[in-house]
Structures are given as C-alpha cells and as structure tokens.
Amino acid sequence: MTRHAPPLAARAAAPRGTATRRKADGFHGQVAEVDLRQLRVFRTVAEHGGFAAAEVALGKSKSSISIDIAALENRLGLRLCTRGRSGFALTAEGRMVLEATEALFADIAHFQQRINEASGTLTGRFCLYVPDNIQIHGETVLVRAIETFTTRHPAVFMDIRSTSAREVEFAVLNGQACAGITLNPRHAPDVQATALFHEELHLFCGRRHPLFNTPESEITPAILAGQRMITVSGAATSPMWDRLRPHLTFAAAAENVDSRALLILSGNYIGFLPQPFAQPLVHDGLLRRIVLDGLQLETSFYFLARPNPETGLMLDTFRAILEEAC
C-alpha cells in the first residue's frame, strides 16, 4: 500500500517552538547528573512553598534557585510553577513532575540500599542536618562519630548542612535529610529521637557591660533583674533558673550561639553561652562569666531519624557509631 505524506498545510500548522518540539529537542528520558541536581532544587522549592522560603534549606540565593528552575523547565519543555505577585504555585504539570521526582529519588535510594546489602559496602549520599548552635570546638562526640563513619565507609558521600533547629526537624520529616541532630525536639509520631549528650550553658556579660568589673559578691538576683537579658529556649532549664526567670527582663532574642555572642559583646545584654564557645573570649578579656551560686542551664541534643527502608542500613550504621562515641 502506498503511503502518502501529510498535506503541506497540516505540516505547516504545527507551530515552531511548541512544548512538544522543546521536549523532543531537550529531554529524551535520559536523566543526567545536572537533571538530578535541578530536580532536587525543584523538590525543595515545592516543599517549602516558594523560592525565598527554600533559600536557607538549599544554601542558595533566590536568583540562583530561579535560574535552576528555569533551566529545568526548559529541559523538560514544561511550565512547572507560577511565581510573582500572586505568590508561588505548582502547575498541573509541576505537580506531576514533583510526583515523578519523589518516585525517582525513592528508586535511586532503594537501588543504593540493595547494592549496599549485596556488597556489604555502604555507598550513596548521607545527608545530615545539624543546628547552627551545635558545638564544634574541640574533640566532640560528633567529630569522633564523623571521623569513624567516613573512615570505615569512604564510598559514602557525606553531606552536612547547618540550619535552625526547626529546619532540622522539618528536613527529617520531609525526607530531605537522612538524619538530623537537634536540641530538645518536639514529638513527632514518624520520627525516632535518640538522646545523645548534654551541654552546659553559663551566664556571661561583655567587657563593656557594667557588671564586667563588679565583684562577684555584689551580683545578686535583684541586680540581675535590672539587666537586659537575652531570651532562653524554654527547653533549657535548671532549678535555680526556674526560680530566677520570672523576675528577669528579657529584651533581645538570638537563635544561634554566634548571634547571641554578638549581643553579649555589645555590652548591653547578658546571656547564656556554651562554655567551650565562650572560653577563648573569656581568655582574651572580652567576656566574663557571672557565677551567682553556680547558675547554669543544660540542654539536650538528640539524633533524629525517620524510618526509611531505602536508607536504613546507612542510618543504623551512623547511629550505632554516634551512640558508641557518646
């Protein structure tokens, strides 16, 4: 039977540069490393509900994120989301791509897990989130655990990200992190929390503060009540602090250790810092510890993990090493 070519008019009717043409020229079902990177960016943006909200989680600027999303849209030939004055929203195609992305990364993790089990060698990416205010000074248990884990399993790509305690929990919950270490986490039914270690916080003032040269015997609870205090997380406590707290004047807030130290060094505030962090500043004459009958706070760090068969072997291995280091 003789085959006839489509009429010229029908061929001319297909507009140039359509989505179909772009997909044929760009994406043929073969996934490259750059595609995986851009898909990870897209997934994080979708999970956070916008470019600006994803900046901290990705460690990238909003403009850089926008470039990645635009490149992915061009690669797939699809409009994945709308952004502008009306806010951020996924398109119908974007929701389909997000669903396919989740399935793809789950399949990749499952493949890595099966290979690990077959070979007895851990491979893949281990993404660990830690809070900004975790102590890294000196020979800490986390440093020892990372040393042991990465020495025994050199094929694992170690990815450590620092963010707020709230973001650590969020990353573990949504699967963005394999595991996290954070302070006094809130209870979540799908997340396992393993107590690790405690950290003592002491009260300090800066060199410019009026209490810096005040004799210790003259610093009383009444004197402290007249000072401007930096707020303290409700989870950090001690018997003396519970008695003293209602009488204090809280005049500033700082989420992590560095920003808290800045406020204290200004000379206008007093606040709590971990002793290992503050010790070099005390040695240099920039800070002074206010003892007041041994006033101190204690915070607890936990290892967070959401049970996942795809990353279970890697997760259990790191947790066992971390518990041993503690």
Side-chain angles (χ1 to χ4, degrees), residues 180-255:
I181 295 176
T182 191
L183 289 161
N184 304 296
R186 294 164 292 184
H187 175 72
D190 294 336
V191 174
Q192 297 175 346
T194 305
L196 293 177
F197 52 88
H198 304 291
E199 181 179 70
E200 289 185 357
L201 305 175
H202 297 152
L203 185 62
F204 293 92
C205 69
R207 183 175 58 187
R208 297 180 177 86
H209 196 277
L211 294 182
F212 189 82
N213 294 312
T214 302
E216 200 69 52
S217 60
E218 297 179 13
I219 301 178
T220 64
I223 293 293
L224 288 186
Q227 311 305 315
R228 289 191 283 180
M229 172 74 71
I230 303 170
T231 58
V232 176
S233 166
T237 188
S238 70
M240 185 173 183
W241 174 247
D242 291 340
R243 294 193 300 270
L244 187 63
R245 185 172 187 160
H247 308 289
L248 299 178
T249 302
F250 295 96
E255 190 171 13

Side-chain angles (χ1 to χ4, degrees), residues 139 141-154 317-318 320-322 324-325:
E139 191 73 8
V141 295
L142 184 56
V143 170
R144 293 197 299 271
I146 293 172
E147 177 193 14
T148 302
F149 181 76
T150 53
T151 300
R152 293 179 184 173
H153 309 287
T317 302
F318 185 81
I321 290 173
L322 187 57
E324 181 183 348

Side-chain angles (χ1 to χ4, degrees), residues 45-47 50 52 77 79 87 89 130 132 148 180 182 184 187 193 224 228 238 259 270 303 309 314:
V45 169
E47 289 169 346
R79 183 70 181 273
V130 299
D132 291 322
T148 302
T182 191
N184 304 296
H187 175 72
L224 288 186
R228 289 191 283 180
S238 70
S259 54
I270 58 176
F303 182 76
M314 196 182 306

